[in-house]
Amino acid sequence: MKDFSCPQNMYSLKSRDGRNICFAGGDGCYLFDETGKEYVDLWNGFGSVLLGYNDEDIVKGFNYLISNRALSLQAPTSYLKQLSRLLLEDYPHKSQIGIFPTGTSAVRAATLAALQKTGKDFVLSSGYHGWDVMWSKGTRLFEPNSYGVIDFYYIIEKLEELVHLYKDRVAAVVVSPDFSYFGNAFYGKLFSICKENKLLIIVDDVKCGYRYAWGPSLSPEAFPADIYVVSKCIANGARISCLIGNEDIMKHISDFCFTSFFDIYSTASAVITLKKIKERNVQQKIREAGDRLILGVEQIIKKWGLPISITGNGNLFQFVLASSELSEAFYQQCTDNGIALYKDDNQCPSYAFDDNALRKVLSKFEEVLSSMALMFPGLLGKDIPIKRFHLAAYYQTDGCAEAMDYDEKVSLITELLYR
Amino acid sequence: MKDFSCPQNMYSLKSRDGRNICFAGGDGCYLFDETGKEYVDLWNGFGSVLLGYNDEDIVKGFNYLISNRALSLQAPTSYLKQLSRLLLEDYPHKSQIGIFPTGTSAVRAATLAALQKTGKDFVLSSGYHGWDVMWSKGTRLFEPNSYGVIDFYYIIEKLEELVHLYKDRVAAVVVSPDFSYFGNAFYGKLFSICKENKLLIIVDDVKCGYRYAWGPSLSPEAFPADIYVVSKCIANGARISCLIGNEDIMKHISDFCFTSFFDIYSTASAVITLKKIKERNVQQKIREAGDRLILGVEQIIKKWGLPISITGNGNLFQFVLASSELSEAFYQQCTDNGIALYKDDNQCPSYAFDDNALRKVLSKFEEVLSSMALMFPGLLGKDIPIKRFHLAAYYQTDGCAEAMDYDEKVSLITELLYR
């Protein structure tokens, strides 16, 4: 973000000259840049604006805060009580919540609590858990990094092997569920390995918690975890992440206090968002609209004969493209034509994505794909190499899709991270 | 916070039955609890609500966000550009800013960047830097904890000793400035030790940056640091902390990215707050009003003959009480009488603290101190033991006041943390 005097490499939409596009506002599923250009938004603030921009209940809630002189309040409020209640009713066997500003800090807190509770020093991990260096890769593949974390990249055989190798040192398994590339068979094996070996399970549900339905993305009956972390879907973009667990582990976060703990903006946003998604069956409506979108885009892709596929479902999906050149061109064309996407990663329609937006975005995709058919005549009718699916899975999950065989998994990770 | 189903031990005002008081709103320097009871607020959200509650410019700014459909925006905006510009104009030799949600994460990021840049593995620290376990105490006093951090508790002789002992392993000194218990002589020695030994200096200005004047609390000419972290005074309570530094170190935070990076609430709050404090000379006005408050309270204390003293100045001050029983009673009496204080720690009047509030709070202090004179007849006219000043300094800074002699410092820390 050099044009913002900031070294952090935040993803954002780029104009053709490489500058970050600056936005002025948003309405429902539309974003507007500073020139007034409109974008149909599937980027969705990295999947964090579930209700959409300028949502009437969020606006009403903020007007209420203003008229009740609650802006800038930094003290316990009834919102905090409501937030605990709203979350805990979706986690039937849990009794406490923890509050953090981001998924990064919340998952770090959960993991530190697990280490503290068990007195052990290793953690086995799959998936992205934020920027903290505790998740950085080890010097060698499948060996602990200097913080005792070993990434098994969703390779279940490797998890089993590591558990046996480091039996008495492993405190917990930390996993970020993903439903585009992993099914119940995967989670079943993972949970049974943890149960057999008495390992704590931390579900980093930052991306998927409340994404497909209320509460945990994995059924708490079939897949009971020790701590859950939720964030992206609970507060319509406000800066908050919550831990959900029981006292035996949660007591170890008692000293994790910070100045803006009581922050009224994020607490109120979370309460308003959680209430609305419960009342309106928000995830189901997103799913239906998103599925129609996927179907429509697939038809256009087929019509133009481009080697592009879509994985996932209407709540969260990903484009898989036959080559990196095709990918570069596709995302830039989409930006130019007014479709905001999260490049190479997951797309998330919001609750505000309606039939009108569907028509609009399909005609934009028609523009994009017709001009790409002219740009890439040699690719028309070609298949997508299987490797591109594996890469897409890695871009979305930081791991290896369940469908790959063991050797493919190990060689993909070696190629991407250890060469 | 058990009454909120939350294990985090956040400080808050307690009613006589031990429950956390729940607040409904705030106006200027007043807080209102759910029963409608009014408190004159010096707690100030742990010193983070510099302008006060329901500030007209914050309200105007939020109404503007609402009417411009910018609520929930999670994308680059002009606010982000303004924020860089506003901060960098107060740090003449710095060119980049980093954005984090809290002081905890920002100071962690700065420290990790220093370790990365130097390739060294030790950090010498004084002061509170947030909840992260990287700052936890080592097994033995003045020895590194498992993260390579050694706390020297503001003991300058110890800093010198540690620098010589671990010469080639020390990356940086991380210090939280405090101006109640440390003066220019202390900072002069600290900076010259760092300069002589080519150590990076990270100024954790979360508490004091923009507290006494614009920009760094230590003059950037006399005390040039490598990275600054600001937070409490820049956004009127919103959840944001900024790093300020140059590319040589800042490039090491390039991968520290997170979903709510672009959060419009905190970015806009910071821009509105920084503009206002520059236009209105906010810190100077707080200083004058706060100094009048201190003077008034000191007169009441003197009149009733209680062994209570005040350190610091109108921007940030602390009560020092002759015994822990006196302290317990004082803070509870203040809560009961409608004065919101940060128990045992620093009090921070806001810009909204005016003559009317001064009259009101002085009459409340009159109530509190007159009834305490009846409760503690044996203490009237007594001196405050010097040890109580040392403890107060520790409660406010997590270190040892400059005025103590070396042996007193070591024995205080041993007594508090290693016995």
Side-chain angles (χ1 to χ4, degrees), chain A residues 1-12 21-27 31-32 34 43 45-46 48-49 52-54 58-59 62-63 66 68-78 80-81 84 88 95-102 104-105 108-109 112 128 131-134 147 232 236-240 247 250 253-263 265-266 269, chain B residues 1-12 21-27 31-32 34 43 45-46 48-49 52-54 58-59 62-63 66 68-78 80-81 84 88 95-102 104-105 108-109 112 128 131-134 147 232 236-240 247 250 253-263 265-266 269:
Chain A
M1 307 282 300
K2 289 215 166 135
D3 36 354
F4 291 80
S5 307
C6 174
Q8 285 156 292
N9 284 330
M10 286 302 301
Y11 169 74
S12 183
I21 292 168
C22 219
F23 291 88
D27 197 11
L31 279 171
F32 306 100
E34 287 189 325
W43 170 23
F46 311 101
S48 72
V49 192
Y53 308 106
N54 199 32
I58 297 283
V59 169
F62 273 75
N63 279 322
I66 291 172
N68 280 272
R69 303 179 300 180
L71 269 195
S72 312
L73 206 56
Q74 278 292 348
T77 64
S78 64
L80 194 55
K81 282 201 177 139
S84 315
L88 290 174
S95 62
Q96 295 194 334
I97 72 156
I99 291 182
F100 290 89
T102 56
T104 301
S105 51
R108 177 161 169 78
L112 294 171
Y128 180 71
W131 63 261
D132 200 278
V133 293
M134 75 184 288
Y147 305 93
K232 293 201 188 213
N236 213 45
R239 204 166 256 176
I240 190 168
E247 210 216 335
M250 295 289 277
I253 68 161
S254 61
D255 289 336
F256 296 175
C257 297
F258 54 103
T259 295
S260 68
F261 178 92
F262 296 117
D263 178 52
Y265 309 127
S266 52
S269 286
Chain B
M1 308 281 300
K2 289 215 166 136
D3 36 355
F4 291 81
S5 307
C6 174
Q8 286 155 291
N9 284 330
M10 286 302 302
Y11 169 74
S12 183
I21 292 168
C22 219
F23 291 88
D27 197 11
L31 279 172
F32 307 100
E34 286 189 326
W43 171 23
F46 311 101
S48 72
V49 192
Y53 307 106
N54 199 32
I58 297 283
V59 169
F62 273 74
N63 279 322
I66 291 172
N68 281 271
R69 302 179 300 179
L71 269 196
S72 313
L73 206 56
Q74 278 292 348
T77 63
S78 64
L80 194 55
K81 282 201 176 139
S84 315
L88 290 174
S95 61
Q96 295 193 334
I97 72 156
I99 292 182
F100 291 89
T102 56
T104 301
S105 51
R108 176 160 169 80
L112 293 171
Y128 180 71
W131 63 261
D132 199 278
V133 293
M134 74 183 290
Y147 305 93
K232 293 201 189 214
N236 213 45
R239 203 166 256 176
I240 190 168
E247 210 216 334
M250 295 289 277
I253 68 161
S254 61
D255 289 336
F256 296 175
C257 297
F258 55 103
T259 295
S260 68
F261 178 92
F262 295 117
D263 178 52
Y265 310 126
S266 52
S269 286

Side-chain angles (χ1 to χ4, degrees), chain B residues 146 287 373 393 414:
Chain B
S146 49
R287 172 67 179 271
T414 305

